[in-house]
Amino acid sequence: MKDIQMEPMGDQALIIRFGTVIDRTTHEKVRQFAAWLDQHPVPGMVEYIPAFTTVTIFYNPVSLYEQRKTDFSANEPIISPYEKLRLFLEAALKQLSDQPPAAGNTVEIPVLYGGEMGPDLSEVAAYHQMSEEEVIRIHSEGDYHVFMIGFAPGFPYIGGLSEKIATPRKTSPRLKIPKGSVGIAGEQTGVYSLETPGGWQIIGRTPISLFRPEHNPPSYLKAGDRVRFVPITAEEYEAYKEGEA
């Protein structure tokens, strides 16, 4: 992989930048490297966190320092834990072209748009000078890609929103956004996995729980998944809720 940058983030983490543009090509590199990390032992690694364009690796510097006795001969200079990990990862990245990323799933998310469930649907429609029905149609016809899980457990940052309905965040965030709320923020869409504060434009709600701590993995979606939003009626929403209970 070319044009990759690596730098320390404190004394127990290292960040790898695969690009500067949030797009599927860069994210494919992130996922490809994450798949490699899942299958290969990395000296001293505690955990890794993939994001839009980066992977951050947290490591135990003491463990890396102690391993120097077995990894280097007595005649070689002692290097820092960060430098040891950096050299290891540089070598790994050069051999990564044949490592396929984990295959994502196509997941349908039912959404009850508008009304009490989507209090900002009318605002989004007015912002773009179109009807609420047109916003719903455009949003539900999108080809979406989950870039990362973050902000709250199970919260997906989803790319692929049409520019026709891309809408800025609210100037004053709400103190409580109900779990399951489907929102728009700029050129992204997402689903609130838990009740939290937030400033996204809420256009609907899904009865599906995106964070399930009793499951393994607990997140309903993962990076690399493709998403389809499916409009449902109030009756279907209640039926889904009963099935989730």
Side-chain angles (χ1 to χ4, degrees):
M1 288 188 177
K2 298 180 180 179
D3 302 323
I4 297 174
Q5 297 180 344
M6 204 178 305
E7 60 189 66
M9 194 174 75
D11 60 357
Q12 298 183 48
L14 175 154
I15 187 166
I16 305 172
R17 302 184 189 278
F18 292 86
T20 57
V21 178
I22 299 175
D23 58 22
R24 295 194 183 189
T25 300
T26 301
H27 193 246
E28 193 77 356
K29 296 176 183 177
V30 170
R31 294 183 55 240
Q32 187 179 11
F33 185 54
W36 186 90
L37 290 172
D38 287 336
Q39 298 176 27
H40 297 82
V42 176
M45 186 175 78
V46 176
E47 65 173 332
Y48 73 88
I49 300 176
F52 288 110
T53 61
T54 65
V55 174
T56 301
I57 295 178
F58 291 87
Y59 61 90
N60 182 340
V62 174
S63 174
L64 281 167
Y65 184 76
E66 291 176 345
Q67 288 178 22
R68 76 191 189 283
K69 295 178 181 179
T70 58
D71 294 344
F72 298 96
S73 70
N75 296 324
E76 291 182 324
I78 296 175
I79 60 176
S80 69
Y82 165 76
E83 188 66 14
K84 173 178 167 57
L85 182 59
R86 185 187 67 79
L87 291 171
F88 177 89
L89 294 173
E90 278 188 351
L93 287 165
K94 291 177 182 178
Q95 305 173 19
L96 202 57
S97 58
D98 296 330
Q99 174 69 46
N105 299 317
T106 298
V107 183
E108 291 190 350
I109 297 182
V111 181
L112 177 56
Y113 288 95
E116 180 184 352
M117 303 298 186
D120 299 321
L121 179 61
S122 59
E123 184 175 333
V124 172
Y127 182 85
H128 295 284
Q129 299 181 336
M130 62 176 64
S131 67
E132 294 183 11
E133 291 73 21
E134 186 71 358
V135 173
I136 294 171
R137 182 189 67 78
I138 294 172
H139 188 266
S140 61
E141 289 181 353
D143 177 21
Y144 296 107
H145 178 86
V146 179
F147 278 98
M148 61 177 286
I149 305 296
F151 167 61
F155 184 101
Y157 286 87
I158 303 173
L161 183 71
S162 170
E163 293 181 357
K164 295 178 180 179
I165 57 173
T167 312
R169 286 176 169 84
K170 303 185 77 64
T171 54
S172 298
R174 292 183 174 94
L175 295 179
K176 290 184 179 180
I177 301 291
K179 169 187 171 182
S181 293
V182 177
I184 291 173
E187 297 182 358
Q188 294 185 99
T189 188
V191 184
Y192 281 74
S193 54
L194 300 171
E195 181 183 280
T196 65
W200 291 44
Q201 304 283 356
I202 305 303
I203 61 172
R205 192 181 304 173
T206 179
I208 301 295
S209 295
L210 267 65
F211 178 60
R212 306 174 176 190
E214 70 279 6
H215 288 238
N216 185 21
S219 178
Y220 187 68
L221 297 173
K222 66 179 184 300
D225 283 347
R226 298 180 67 179
V227 172
R228 290 187 60 246
F229 292 104
V230 181
I232 59 173
T233 64
E235 291 74 19
E236 290 172 321
Y237 181 92
E238 292 302 323
Y240 271 105
K241 290 291 288 184
E242 291 177 6
E244 284 267 306

